[in-house]
Each structure stands twice: as C-alpha cells, then as structure tokens.
Amino acid sequence: MFGKIFLVLYVIIQTCMSILTEYVIQKNRYYKNIGRKTRIVRIIIYALLAIIPVLGAFLPKCEFKYFCMGFGNLWLGFFMYYSGLVIFATIITHIICRVTKDEEQKALEQVLNISFTLALLIFLIGIIHAQRPKIVNYDISVDKQTVNTQELKVVLIADLHLSVNSDPGLTEKMVEEVNSVNPDVVVIAGDIFTSNYDGLKHPEKYSSALSKMKARYGVYAVCGNHDVDENLFSGFSISPVSEAFRTKEMEQFFDDCGFTVLYDESVEIADGEIILTGRIDGEKAGDGTKDRMEASELLGSLDKTKPILVVQHEPIEFEELSEAGADAVFCGHTHNGQVFPGNLFVPFFNENAYGVKELHGIDTIVTAGVGYYGPPMRVGTDSEVTVVNVKFDHKPE
C-alpha cells in the first residue's frame, strides 16, 4: 500500500521538478545559445532517471532489474534531497521576492544551483556515513534472581538489509565491532535481507563474514518484514502479503552464517538461567500470512521465575508482552528514521522509536540498525551495533 502511494507521489514530484527545472533553464540568459539545442537531451535524461527506479520495482527477476534497483536507489537518495530543497527554497524565495520586490527569476536560478550542490553534498556524506558503524551502550536491570549469572552482555543488531546496494566491507566492520565487545549472546532483530536474495552479489562473502561473529551462548536471529521475496519501490512493498515468502536460499544463508533462527520459539541460555524468545514478524510471517502466536500463547508456559528476554523485529505489542511475562524486549525496524528528517517523525508512530525506554513495566530496546533500505545512506542517524548490559538480582548459592 505504502509502495503504491509513494510511487504516485514520486511520479507527481518528478514531473513537477522536471517542469520547474525546465522553466528556469528557459528563462536563463544562456538558454538561447545552449538550452534550445539540448532540450531533447534533457527530456530524455529526465525520463530515464524517473523510470529507472520503476523498472527496478516492476521488471521480472533479471540482472537488469537488479541494476535498476541499485542505480534507482542511488538516484532516489539524491533526488529526495534535491527536490525537497528546491520546493522549500522556492516557496521561501517567492515569499521574500514578493515582499522585497526583487527579481524572482535570478533568485530562482540560485535556488536550483544551491539546492543541487547541497543535495549532492548531503548524498555523498550520507553514503560515506552509512558505512561507518558505531557501538552504542545501554544498561538495564531485570528484577529477577539468578544464581550464577550476575550480568549478561547482549549485542543487538538488526536491519542489515543485504541487497543490491550492500557492501561486504560494512558487514565485516560490523562483525569486528561485535567481536570487540566479547558478547555473551548476539541477537539479530530481523530484516537481514531487503526482500530479495538474488540481487545480493557474492552472498558467500556476507555469510563468511557473519559466520565469524562469536558469542559465549551463540547467535540468535528472528526474521523481519523484509526477510521475504517481494517487489519493492524505494524500500516500500508493492506486493501483497499473500505473495511474500521466505526462500530456501535465505534459509540456507542463515544456516551458513551459523544463526539459530527462532520462529515463535524459546531457548534457555546461561546454563538454563535465562530464557530467550524469538517472535515471527507480525507483518509478514514468511509463508504468505501474518500468522504468529499471541504474546500470551508464546510466553504462557514459560517459567516466569526466570528472566525472559524477547527478540522481535517491530517495536510493537509491548503491553501484551509485559502482561505475558516478558522482562525486556529487543527490536529493530525503525532505523531511527535513517535519513533526516525521518528521525524527527518516527517517534510519532512508535511507543519506542529508538534507544531504551521503560514501557508497561519492562525495558524496551530499539536499535537504529546496521544497514539501510532504499537509498544506501544515513543522514542524522548512525549505523550501529547496540550493546545492552543486562544486570540481574544475583542470589548467591
């Protein structure tokens, strides 16, 4: 649904931006010498740039589709800032020129030049910044007694979004950061892929790097809404849930990485003192449905005297999980907005959009994630490895 809405908006904005750019060029004093001769070339360029992301979304599986997806994501990353800056600056310029009686045309030419330069700079910085993961540390406490485990160092990662714009170097850096903190357990809160496997070049490089993650009690993962095979437009699904299935190649990739994937399942770690539960994604279960256990059913039979740590992709249903007996919930999904001003809006749609927040009597932890969907960039947010030091009410033997 969001993908189709975004597609319509994209077409409207592309058309408006092309008309606005062409209007300024034609009014430019150099147009008589250069502009008329290159008009057809410009129209072709406008059309090609506009259609490439659409081809990436709707073409059948082939190398050209994945090329269009990758290039289209790059174009969209630049275009969203260019168009946003132009629209905002044009409105401001129009108002100022009306008040000051200055010539609007010359000011408008500067708007396009400045917007193009700023957008290109933000785009390039965003790409570079996205490839530099950082470590973020949090401390939480669980008011349940353990005998041998005073503290558990949990490394939370999420949203690797392996796909057409991925770089093995980022995955390798992430693994180095994870191993540098000597975790007790690593939990991966979904969206390991970006809705396809075939578009990922050299998947063995990624599985080789990820298999090197080391943790005392192992590496556990859950799947997210993008760990299925479906069509996307700029990160938004344009396929119905009934066509969203996890592929055998994805499942094999998890095995090659050494992940223990939890599908509405619980395991005991730390010599049986702590329970770790992983949930199926509530938006796309991976079998063409949204089916997953209710929190009360999933946690109902567990030993509530033990700490219960839940891993799920989307930061939702915290109240239900608390009532069912969870002590802490680890999530991803939001990317903390990924690119400015997205980080300003995600808090309005999530009880906890990022970081640690106590809700309904339990600690909720949401990581900004390591990767990116759509444009391969981060602006105003970080690619991060989240370290959560969980302290327990230690009871000596």
Side-chain angles (χ1 to χ4, degrees), residues 338-379:
Q338 187 169 319
V339 293
F340 177 86
N343 54 326
L344 302 181
F345 293 110
V346 289
F348 293 103
F349 302 98
N350 299 273
E351 280 191 291
N352 182 5
Y354 171 69
V356 172
K357 190 174 184 179
E358 185 176 336
L359 294 167
H360 312 290
I362 60 174
D363 285 306
T364 65
I365 306 96
V366 181
T367 179
V370 179
Y372 33 75
Y373 70 81
M377 53 194 291
R378 281 186 176 267
V379 179

Side-chain angles (χ1 to χ4, degrees), residues 83-308:
S83 59
L85 287 167
V86 167
I87 293 170
F88 176 77
T90 298
I91 294 172
I92 298 300
T93 300
H94 179 73
I95 294 172
I96 293 174
C97 289
R98 281 297 181 94
V99 173
T100 62
K101 307 299 182 181
D102 290 338
E103 185 178 346
E104 187 173 344
Q105 177 55 43
K106 289 184 178 180
L108 198 58
E109 289 179 21
Q110 293 304 312
V111 163
L112 287 179
N113 292 334
I114 293 172
S115 296
F116 180 89
T117 303
L118 282 177
L120 183 60
L121 184 62
I122 293 170
F123 170 67
L124 294 175
I125 291 174
I127 288 179
I128 294 171
H129 184 60
Q131 303 299 320
R132 297 178 175 177
K134 60 180 291 187
I135 295 176
V136 177
N137 287 277
Y138 299 111
D139 295 312
I140 66 172
S141 298
V142 172
D143 189 21
K144 285 185 178 177
Q145 291 187 334
T146 56
V147 176
N148 299 311
T149 307
Q150 292 179 290
E151 187 173 319
L152 186 76
K153 183 179 289 186
V154 180
V155 165
L156 168 64
I157 57 176
D159 302 291
L160 280 66
H161 281 286
L162 303 179
S163 188
V164 292
N165 294 110
S166 295
D167 182 354
L170 174 59
T171 303
E172 291 166 357
K173 290 176 187 175
M174 180 202 74
V175 172
E176 289 176 4
E177 297 286 10
V178 170
N179 290 340
S180 71
V181 301
N182 297 314
D184 292 314
V185 63
V186 173
V187 295
I188 306 173
D191 277 4
I192 297 164
F193 293 102
T194 306
S195 298
N196 71 80
Y197 176 85
D198 295 334
L200 182 64
K201 293 183 178 180
H202 308 295
E204 69 281 356
K205 291 185 178 180
Y206 297 90
S207 60
S208 175
L210 290 167
S211 68
K212 293 180 173 64
M213 278 196 297
K214 303 299 179 184
R216 184 179 181 185
Y217 302 123
V219 179
Y220 295 87
V222 298
C223 292
N225 57 302
H226 286 297
D227 290 318
V228 293
D229 189 58
E230 60 180 349
N231 284 323
L232 298 179
F233 180 74
S234 188
F236 296 100
S237 174
I238 54 175
S239 300
V241 173
S242 60
E243 296 177 5
F245 288 86
R246 198 151 22 256
T247 66
K248 292 181 179 179
E249 290 82 3
M250 290 177 176
E251 300 281 6
Q252 183 59 55
F253 182 88
F254 300 153
D255 289 341
D256 293 341
C257 293
F259 300 162
T260 299
V261 185
L262 301 175
Y263 299 104
D264 280 350
E265 297 172 293
S266 298
V267 295
E268 292 186 345
I269 60 174
D271 298 321
E273 289 199 310
I274 299 167
I275 298 174
L276 182 66
T277 299
R279 299 193 77 187
I280 289 173
D281 183 68
E283 185 179 338
K284 291 166 189 169
D287 59 359
T289 74
K290 298 181 179 182
D291 298 339
R292 71 170 176 182
M293 287 186 185
E294 296 292 334
S296 56
E297 181 184 4
L298 180 62
L299 306 183
S301 62
L302 300 182
D303 183 355
K304 303 303 190 301
T305 65
K306 296 181 179 181
I308 300 175

Side-chain angles (χ1 to χ4, degrees), residues 158-159 332 334-336 354-355 366-371 378 381-384 386:
D159 302 291
T334 68
H335 298 220
N336 192 23
Y354 171 69
V366 181
T367 179
V370 179
R378 281 186 176 267
T381 67
D382 296 312
S383 168
E384 70 175 44
T386 304

